[in-house]
Amino acid sequence: MIEVLGRKSAEVRRRLAGSLVARNTFSMMAGSVGTILLQAVYFILIARCLGPQQYGAFVGAVSLIAVLSPFAAWGTGGILVRNVARQKESFPRSWGNALWMTAVSGSVLLLLVLLLSNRILSGKVPLALVLIVGASDLIFAASVSLASQAFTAFEMLGKTAQIGVVLAGSRAVCALAMYLWVPHANAHSWAALYLASTVFSALCAFVMVCRRLGYPQFASTISRSDLREGFHFSLSVSSQSVYNNIDKAMLVRLATLEAAGIYATAYRVVDLALQPVSSLLYSTFAKFFQHGSRGIEGSSSYARRILPIAAGYGVLAGIVLFVAAPILPLVIGASFHGTDTVLRWLSPLILIRAVHYLLANSLTGADLQGLRSGIQLGVAAFNIAMNIWLIPAYSWRGAAWASLASDGLLAVSMWVVITLLRVRSRRESIGEPQTKTAAVGILNV
């Protein structure tokens, strides 16, 4: 009996070792742990070096640019993954198109940001700072993201994880250098090192892709269908970026740099705590498409299987952040007094986002990306309106209320839409006549 069990156990281990999904999941988990640790290191170092006002100026520039950065590659990364997944031979051309589009679109967006920054940020963030951060995020960081998607297309998630570690590691090294050797660091100091680390990471990622997958082939044109589909990819990510980032930029304009710095610091801790959920979603993303081949019933059923894990982590992480919040000012410096209060306000976001991310992937997996984008765009507009109303009166508290309300609205909206879709799907499966309600009519759009 013992020998039989031993043979079965060995067989299971061999199957797991040979499973691509198992290897990819383990690689992403290991890479995420390394990335989280490195991000935590450079976050603490730059916060201690800059203080809330200078950190607020830097975050103001980053947050403004983050709203436009999804359009830097114009969704060509998603198109690359789609094309290569169906036809491996399409990689050189898709890779070349993505790089070419990033260079062109990123440069145009950088010019647009420079033209708008003084108006949006009320001149509180120097134009030179916006230029440096914009070049980093709109061109070089976008190229790093494309390299990650190239490896994802070939299901080489170990390499995808390595690229994330290279980027976080290079920024941690630059942050340590600033902490040790720049006596009077400011936002400009960190922006220059931030750009240097991103350029280094982009070069490393480009070399990795060319050595393992091949060199790009540049075409003079990109098809209209690819441009249209790329816009939908970018619009979805940009809408998400609006309700995740625009509040920091609006705090710079409507409140103070110090308020923006304190709020952004606490928000950054929440982002770090969300990384395990992001890793889970990344590892299961392809599964949503497989289950979504049966429509919304299939993808939403798969989401319900994962929901207890994601929601359980969200509850636990939220409680830990709420209880441990007073430690934060001790770690990053006394000048960030008040971040513990902000962190407690924002701690429920982990649970709320764990839920609505799964619901959103249910729509995407069922080929309802347009509907998902529409909901996210509406919530982004709601978030901007709430921030305009609340920040002038309540500073960072207004931004926190707007963030919680927006993410809550997104979760409820996704749940309502999916429920209506499932009801309609069940009626169609049993041949019942549908009632032409307004809600169902909306879903037919």
Side-chain angles (χ1 to χ4, degrees), residues 87-325:
Q87 187 179 10
K88 297 291 190 292
E89 295 77 14
S90 67
F91 172 73
R93 183 181 179 89
S94 297
W95 173 228
N97 285 346
L99 291 172
W100 179 82
M101 180 58 74
T102 300
V104 174
S105 181
S107 299
V108 172
L109 289 174
L110 178 57
L111 178 60
L112 179 63
V113 167
L114 292 174
L115 293 173
L116 297 177
S117 63
N118 279 338
R119 182 178 296 273
I120 295 175
L121 300 175
S122 298
K124 296 179 182 179
V125 179
L127 201 61
L129 179 61
V130 176
L131 173 62
I132 296 171
V133 175
S136 172
D137 288 0
L138 293 173
I139 298 175
F140 296 103
S143 300
V144 173
S145 179
L146 287 178
S148 297
Q149 289 171 305
F151 283 117
T152 300
F154 284 92
E155 297 185 84
M156 300 170 66
L157 295 190
K159 294 296 180 182
T160 301
Q162 286 180 23
I163 290 175
V165 172
V166 168
L167 179 60
S170 62
R171 288 180 177 172
V173 170
C174 286
L176 180 61
M178 182 176 70
Y179 182 78
L180 294 175
W181 295 307
V182 181
H184 302 290
N186 55 28
H188 286 87
S189 306
W190 172 239
L193 291 168
Y194 181 81
L195 173 61
S197 66
T198 312
V199 171
F200 172 79
S201 301
L203 291 173
C204 289
F206 179 78
V207 171
M208 287 172 64
V209 172
C210 291
R211 290 183 63 182
R212 292 300 301 268
L213 306 178
Y215 289 89
Q217 291 180 3
F218 296 98
S220 58
T221 59
I222 298 178
S223 68
R224 289 185 178 181
S225 61
D226 281 353
L227 287 173
R228 182 169 56 253
E229 187 172 354
F231 174 77
H232 287 300
F233 275 113
S234 299
L235 181 63
S236 177
V237 179
S238 181
S239 299
Q240 180 176 321
S241 183
V242 167
Y243 54 75
N244 287 346
N245 294 292
I246 198 64
D247 46 2
K248 292 91 167 175
M250 295 182 75
L251 273 168
V252 171
R253 175 180 175 84
L254 301 174
T256 64
L257 289 175
E258 185 174 3
I262 291 173
Y263 179 80
T265 300
Y267 210 103
R268 182 61 175 162
V269 175
V270 173
D271 285 339
L272 288 172
L274 270 166
Q275 285 298 318
V277 174
S278 300
S279 297
L280 174 65
L281 294 171
Y282 203 96
S283 299
T284 59
F285 191 58
K287 291 291 185 182
F288 276 97
F289 286 103
Q290 295 173 12
H291 290 274
S293 62
R294 297 188 289 113
I296 192 63
E297 190 68 37
S299 60
S300 62
S301 296
Y302 182 63
R304 289 199 302 274
R305 288 166 53 188
I306 307 173
L307 183 60
I309 300 173
Y313 172 80
V315 171
L316 179 62
I319 292 173
V320 170
L321 290 188
F322 189 90
V323 173

Side-chain angles (χ1 to χ4, degrees), residues 372-383:
R372 171 181 177 169
S373 299
I375 296 172
Q376 290 178 317
L377 188 61
V379 171
F382 172 78
N383 180 265

Side-chain angles (χ1 to χ4, degrees), residues 7-67:
R7 286 197 299 271
K8 288 185 176 180
S9 177
E11 179 65 22
V12 169
R13 287 196 300 270
R14 283 195 297 271
R15 289 181 179 179
L16 286 175
S19 169
L20 180 62
V21 174
R23 292 200 305 271
N24 283 336
T25 301
F26 177 78
S27 297
M28 286 303 299
M29 289 176 62
S32 295
V33 171
T35 300
I36 290 170
L37 293 176
L38 290 168
Q39 287 178 341
V41 167
Y42 81 72
F43 162 66
I44 292 171
L45 290 173
I46 64 173
R48 293 186 71 90
C49 286
L50 300 184
Q53 188 171 21
Q54 288 295 307
Y55 184 65
F58 174 76
V59 169
V62 170
S63 300
L64 173 62
I65 292 162
V67 175

